[in-house]
Amino acid sequence: MDIIEIFKALIIGIVEGVTEWLPISSTGHMILVDEFLKLNMSEAFKKMFFVVIQLGAIMAVVVIFWKKIFPFSFKQRQFIKKDTILLWVKIVIACIPAGIVGILFDDKMDELFYNYQTVTITLILYGILFIIIEKWNKGRTCKVNDISELTYQTALIIGLFQVLSLIPGTSRSGVTILGAILIGTSRTVAAEFTFFLAMPVMFGASIIKILKFGIEFTSLELLVLLTGMIVAFVVSILAIKFLVGYIKKHDFKVFGWYRIVLGIIVILYFTILK
């Protein structure tokens, strides 16, 4: 029944909204959710849906950080906000590596890595790295404590880390935050810049998937897609606000342990229980 597929889209939207911004891998969770909550749709639609649903999450960033990312001011004498323009230049620079790799190898990476084995490995691997890096980072003095202090070189290095997120289970937010911390950026700046990087990356990925799928949708497909996006938007607002508050007092080790435990559960399910 159509209502069942819409309900599934609602659940998937909740999972997307939570996992997109927490460093626990949204794509990895999407693959796992599909194992238990299979959409009764074509494989082509599902591949597109699991990417395009992220547009709802993007809009949450736009709403929350509108004042920081909108480059124009209608109330001040200076119409164009120079600092915001420079921030966007850094965002574009950081997005170039993942954009190039994604465009060139999108289909190949889906074919090779879009499976539970890859998700399991990356969940556990980056979970361990989170714990190790946070212990190593304890007590270190951060070189970058405000997003305006990010240099173009630093932005590019963070962008190179973001390439790793093209492998499912890695977590785009997780790997860019880890990379930023390694090169001396505070957790707050690392998380905020990661939010901003998501906009062009996820928008570009969504456009690619929609063009490959085609712009003609059945009424059910359109309803399922819109349901997932709207729910992801609402839940993302809550998740982003939670993470911003959380990192002011805590590190990311708890997410590392979560990834390891989840990875072990996935191994047990697919090798023993299934």
Side-chain angles (χ1 to χ4, degrees):
M1 294 176 64
D2 292 356
I3 191 66
I4 298 299
E5 301 310 310
I6 295 171
F7 177 75
K8 291 177 183 176
L10 186 150
I11 299 299
I12 294 170
I14 293 173
V15 174
E16 163 62 25
V18 172
T19 60
E20 183 60 51
W21 307 112
L22 304 185
I24 52 179
S25 175
S26 62
T27 304
H29 280 75
M30 291 296 102
I31 292 174
L32 298 177
V33 166
D34 189 47
E35 284 291 327
F36 300 96
L37 198 70
K38 291 185 177 295
L39 281 171
N40 188 24
M41 316 289 281
S42 69
E43 284 301 315
F45 175 82
K46 286 197 291 185
K47 283 187 176 181
M48 179 274 299
F49 172 78
F50 286 136
V51 174
V52 178
I53 192 179
Q54 297 172 345
L55 285 175
I58 292 175
M59 291 309 299
V61 175
V62 175
V63 169
I64 293 174
F65 295 100
W66 178 254
K67 290 183 178 179
K68 286 191 175 184
I69 63 174
F70 188 63
F72 306 109
S73 175
F74 300 107
K75 296 181 179 180
Q76 301 178 9
R77 293 181 62 184
Q78 189 175 6
F79 178 64
I80 298 177
K81 295 187 286 187
K82 182 180 177 182
D83 289 345
T84 306
I85 295 296
L86 294 177
L87 173 61
W88 273 107
V89 172
K90 294 170 187 175
I91 291 171
V92 171
I93 289 173
C95 288
I96 289 173
I100 293 173
V101 175
I103 291 171
L104 293 178
F105 302 105
D106 180 59
D107 290 335
K108 193 64 177 178
M109 297 190 80
D110 275 355
E111 178 186 339
L112 292 175
F113 301 124
Y114 210 85
N115 52 65
Y116 83 88
Q117 293 95 334
T118 299
V119 172
T120 299
I121 293 170
T122 50
L123 278 172
I124 295 175
L125 173 62
Y126 285 98
I128 294 170
L129 287 175
F130 257 119
I131 296 169
I132 292 174
I133 291 173
E134 281 290 15
K135 286 185 177 180
W136 167 79
N137 189 55
K138 189 175 182 180
R140 290 178 71 233
T141 301
C142 297
K143 299 176 183 177
V144 180
N145 293 288
D146 189 270
I147 201 161
S148 63
E149 298 173 1
L150 281 174
T151 64
Y152 299 113
Q153 182 181 6
T154 302
L156 179 60
I157 294 172
I158 294 173
L160 291 172
F161 277 101
Q162 186 172 228
V163 173
L164 297 172
S165 70
L166 296 174
I167 300 176
T170 299
S171 171
R172 189 196 53 77
S173 62
V175 75
T176 51
I177 288 172
L178 279 179
I181 289 174
L182 280 172
I183 59 178
T185 300
S186 71
R187 292 189 195 91
T188 301
V189 173
E192 194 169 297
F193 193 61
T194 292
F195 297 152
F196 298 157
L197 287 186
M199 292 183 288
V201 169
M202 292 159 64
F203 182 78
S206 297
I207 294 299
I208 291 173
K209 290 294 185 183
I210 289 175
L211 291 176
K212 287 184 177 180
F213 178 78
I215 58 174
E216 294 185 4
F217 297 90
T218 66
S219 57
L220 177 59
E221 287 174 340
L222 187 59
L223 193 54
V224 166
L225 184 59
L226 290 176
T227 298
M229 289 172 61
I230 292 170
V231 173
F233 166 74
V234 174
V235 176
S236 287
I237 288 180
L238 300 175
I240 291 171
K241 289 185 175 181
F242 164 78
L243 185 60
V244 170
Y246 179 87
I247 60 179
K248 291 178 180 178
K249 299 179 180 179
H250 306 87
D251 59 27
F252 289 106
K253 283 188 286 187
V254 65
F255 298 115
W257 287 113
Y258 171 84
R259 294 176 64 103
I260 293 170
V261 171
L262 181 61
I264 292 172
I265 291 173
V266 173
I267 291 174
L268 293 176
Y269 171 76
F270 282 101
T271 58
I272 300 175
L273 300 178
K274 189 173 181 180

